[in-house]
Amino acid sequence: MYFPVYRPRRFRRTENLRRMVRETRLSVDNLVYPLFVMPGKGVKNPVQSMPGVFQFSVDRLLEEVSSVVELNIPGIILFGLPEKKDETGSEAFDDNAPVQQAVGQIKKMWPELSVMTDVCLCEYTSHGHCGILEGSEVQNDATLEVLAKVALSHARAGADVIAPSDMMDGRVAAIRDELDENGFDQTAIVAYSAKYCSGFYGPFRDAADSAPKFGDRRSYQMDPANSNEAVREVSLDIEEGADMVIVKPALAYLDIIRRVRQECDRPVAAYNVSGEYSMIKAAAANGWIDGDRVMMEVLTSMVRAGADLILTYFAKEAAALLQNRRAE
Ligand code: PBG
């Protein structure tokens, strides 16, 4: 049936007609808000390259989490900065480090909030790489033991979900074993399975103070040119026990989100990373685009591509906007 009998514009005429045939719905249920925790007291440092994002000490973090809960956002993911960095990132598994303390206090105040923790070493190592070095090489297997200790320490603090973002081979299995051996069989693993070596992480490295001091992450993060490899990485992580998988970044990798959704049987999360956030913020601040509108368009595209969950610095703004809409 073709024009003039069929006219697709008929269902675009009014908002109510558009609502009736809308295929994708972004909901607050899809959103997870990333937060950065620092040592100290009374700290709320703006991150220059990420307007609206801050580094918090644990006490100030609780105020922020309270506003997240208020907006009915179902989960947060925590990134920690240490007091002191060293060669092996040992503060990452210190039970009294900022992330561990934050998890404990948050779960005490809001037991229902889903608390995820990022497990990686780059914030904690003096060299800024995601693993243990020998010379200038990141050592895969030696790193696994440390990651497992970090995950256990987060689980002990009360994290619901452990999210390893280091991209070492075999880390999901190492973490699953460690958690199970210690009685944390209910702690979930959301693996950054398809994590690309991306220029879009720039602003995050300011926020988490995690830029590598030499070289880059190409020997462990994925080549942006690869798609089959993403499916392979995801399959391996599922074999090893991942309960959910992450594709990261999101915007330049919507095809990967789609493929993983179709080819793998686990929930899929998209990480709408720092550079994707900052680009929109910068263009909006210059008056070049309508920031709210582009934010919603971008988040909707991730759901449309197949993401079940979106980790995004926009979570609070999007949740607020969604609420106003509903109230209209
Ligand atoms: C740690 C980690 C990174 C991000 C999440 N976990 C940075 C990196 O790999 O350098 C990036 C998140 C973002 O850009 O928002 N490995």
Side-chain angles (χ1 to χ4, degrees), residues 21-85:
V21 296
R22 191 158 288 147
E23 297 175 39
T24 304
R25 271 169 235 276
L26 176 68
S27 149
V28 65
D29 301 346
N30 303 120
L31 305 175
V32 171
Y33 191 52
L35 288 162
F36 299 96
V37 202
M38 307 254 299
K41 273 209 163 66
V43 184
K44 183 177 177 181
N45 278 343
V47 178
Q48 291 309 328
S49 53
M50 300 179 74
V53 173
F54 300 85
Q55 298 170 322
F56 295 98
S57 54
V58 176
D59 52 339
R60 300 298 298 276
L61 182 77
L62 297 176
E63 299 163 17
E64 183 73 359
V65 174
S66 157
S67 74
V68 170
V69 171
E70 197 106 313
L71 285 162
N72 197 28
I73 293 169
I76 56 172
I77 178 160
L78 295 175
F79 295 90
L81 284 83
E83 195 93 55
K84 248 185 22 256
K85 297 175 191 266

Side-chain angles (χ1 to χ4, degrees), residues 145 192 263 276 323 325:
E145 290 170 35
Y192 289 79
E263 295 182 34
E276 301 173 310
Q323 279 180 8
R325 275 211 190 139

Side-chain angles (χ1 to χ4, degrees), residues 120 122 165 195 201 204-205 217 221 248 273-274 313:
C120 196
C122 58
S165 70
K195 177 173 177 179
Y201 306 148
F204 171 94
R205 293 178 186 172
R217 305 208 202 286
Q221 298 182 345
K248 172 182 173 189
V273 300
S274 56
Y313 306 96

